[in-house]
Amino acid sequence: MKQNLQGVSNTGSQLSRLALSHGKRTRLWRLLYGHGPRNGSLLVLPLDQGLEHGPTDFFPHPPAVDPGYQFELAAAGGFSAIALGIGLAEKYMTEYCGRVPLILKLNGKTNIASDAEATSPLFASVEDAVRLGADAVGYTMYVGSPRQHDEFRQFEKVRQDCERYGMPLVMWAYPRGSAVNARGGTNTLYAQDYAARVALEMGADIVKLHEPNDSVANVPAPYDKLQEDAAARCARVVRSAGRTMVLFSGGEKNDDDAAVLRKVEFYMQSGANGVMFGRNMWLRPFDQAVTLVRSVHDIMAKYPR
């Protein structure tokens, strides 16, 4: 009962200030308070790397090539949701329906072609997400790409469908393309701060970002003169996202469990709503991964949103 009362209190502060349809509000409540840490924070397990990076991501830990490994980890570890494409959802979700919330990724690409004019075409729809019982959809936006005019038009239809169906929209806001590279690169504060603001301006409910680095080479003014530490940089991008909730990426696998946990604490202290950890979880032996995610829960419990 105590946990439920806490959830109701947090819902008032987290969702009441947002203009949401009943469908969006219900699905977001399930993600924020019905699963995972259940305190308004989010812990998401992504499995889109097989498409985005290819099978080589699974080489360090062969059992992880079976999507059932990640589904079982999401259930045993108490993740807020698993995020993946339609093929994996249709073929592996059946026995986890209701147990593991689904964020259905609607678009994506391989890493075979050059990112100079990056674009991420749709291969699923919001209607598919409704049919599969998803609690949110995921959309990759390549911020700053020379093809962003196509990306914006494609996103418009997705956003409208999300409003019609009451489906929360999670944007993977990834700076990409030749113009971004000419302005310092994808993970500069300039690029990540801009990506955060784009997600807010375009109507995303949640945005996934990467931690901005300290490089100022070739970045536009006034970012080239900013001298901020890592905490200030992360806090800045969270502010730029406004009322769009921020998830930071866990990035590539770190074999040091303590370092992973320090990163979680750091992101939560910066004001983020949570983290999206893929390879840092499912490239570990199963029992070790479950133990690690339970420690993540302990940290996130200290940061109700």
Side-chain angles (χ1 to χ4, degrees):
M1 187 64 175
K2 183 177 180 181
Q3 184 183 65
N4 289 339
L5 288 174
Q6 181 184 12
V8 171
S9 175
N10 285 342
T11 302
S13 61
Q14 176 85 333
L15 297 179
S16 64
R17 61 183 181 154
L18 301 177
L20 299 169
S21 67
H22 287 181
K24 276 198 175 190
R25 192 175 298 275
T26 298
R27 291 182 171 97
L28 281 172
W29 192 95
R30 286 199 291 256
L31 292 172
L32 292 165
Y33 303 103
H35 294 268
R38 300 173 186 260
N39 67 343
S41 59
L42 286 164
L43 177 58
V44 178
L45 185 71
L47 183 57
D48 56 349
Q49 292 88 349
L51 173 65
E52 298 287 341
H53 306 157
T56 56
D57 267 16
F58 307 109
F59 278 34
H61 185 45
V65 75
D66 176 7
Y69 187 91
Q70 286 86 359
F71 272 98
E72 190 55 33
L73 177 57
F79 278 82
S80 305
I82 192 169
L84 37 73
I86 190 166
L88 299 185
E90 289 184 335
K91 291 177 171 63
Y92 293 90
M93 190 77 197
T94 302
E95 63 187 282
Y96 298 93
C97 290
R99 295 172 56 200
V100 177
L102 170 66
I103 299 175
L104 185 70
K105 286 294 299 291
L106 303 186
N107 64 337
K109 68 171 186 60
T110 71
N111 69 357
I112 298 171
S114 169
D115 270 354
E117 297 191 17
T119 187
S120 188
L122 286 168
F123 54 79
S125 67
V126 179
E127 188 172 346
D128 286 323
V130 174
R131 173 176 57 84
L132 290 166
D135 281 311
V137 297
Y139 185 95
T140 297
M141 172 66 70
Y142 289 130
V143 177
S145 168
R147 297 284 301 277
Q148 71 178 9
H149 54 287
D150 296 325
E151 300 271 312
F152 282 16
R153 283 196 293 265
Q154 182 175 257
F155 181 83
E156 177 190 19
K157 175 65 163 53
V158 171
R159 183 189 55 77
Q160 290 172 343
D161 286 347
C162 283
E163 292 303 317
R164 180 162 57 252
Y165 288 109
M167 184 67 66
L169 176 52
V170 185
M171 180 187 286
W172 274 241
Y174 286 175
R176 287 289 189 277
S178 54
V180 173
N181 292 338
R183 289 169 173 80
T186 61
N187 287 338
T188 62
L189 176 58
Y190 162 73
Q192 292 299 316
D193 204 28
Y194 210 144
R197 186 68 188 199
V198 165
L200 173 63
E201 298 273 351
M202 295 190 71
D205 299 296
I206 302 168
V207 59
K208 178 195 177 187
L209 300 167
H210 287 85
E211 179 183 341
N213 62 33
D214 60 357
S215 174
V216 295
N218 300 318
V219 301
Y223 291 90
D224 61 337
K225 298 297 191 298
L226 288 179
Q227 295 183 353
E228 297 180 336
D229 63 15
R233 293 194 299 270
C234 285
R236 180 180 291 277
V237 301
V238 170
R239 288 196 302 272
S240 291
R243 291 186 177 178
T244 295
M245 291 174 269
V246 172
L247 302 179
F248 278 116
S249 170
E252 296 183 0
K253 182 174 181 280
N254 188 331
D255 291 325
D256 184 348
D257 287 7
V260 172
L261 296 176
R262 286 195 298 271
K263 188 67 71 174
V264 174
E265 185 105 42
F266 173 72
Y267 290 151
M268 299 308 293
Q269 288 174 343
S270 75
N273 267 84
V275 292
M276 192 174 289
F277 274 132
R279 288 166 290 178
N280 267 301
M281 294 296 174
W282 48 252
L283 285 180
R284 282 173 159 78
F286 190 86
D287 290 344
Q288 182 185 351
V290 171
T291 298
L292 179 60
V293 74
R294 287 174 180 165
S295 296
V296 172
H297 272 261
D298 291 341
I299 292 172
M300 297 180 78
K302 299 185 295 183
Y303 299 93
R305 298 300 190 226

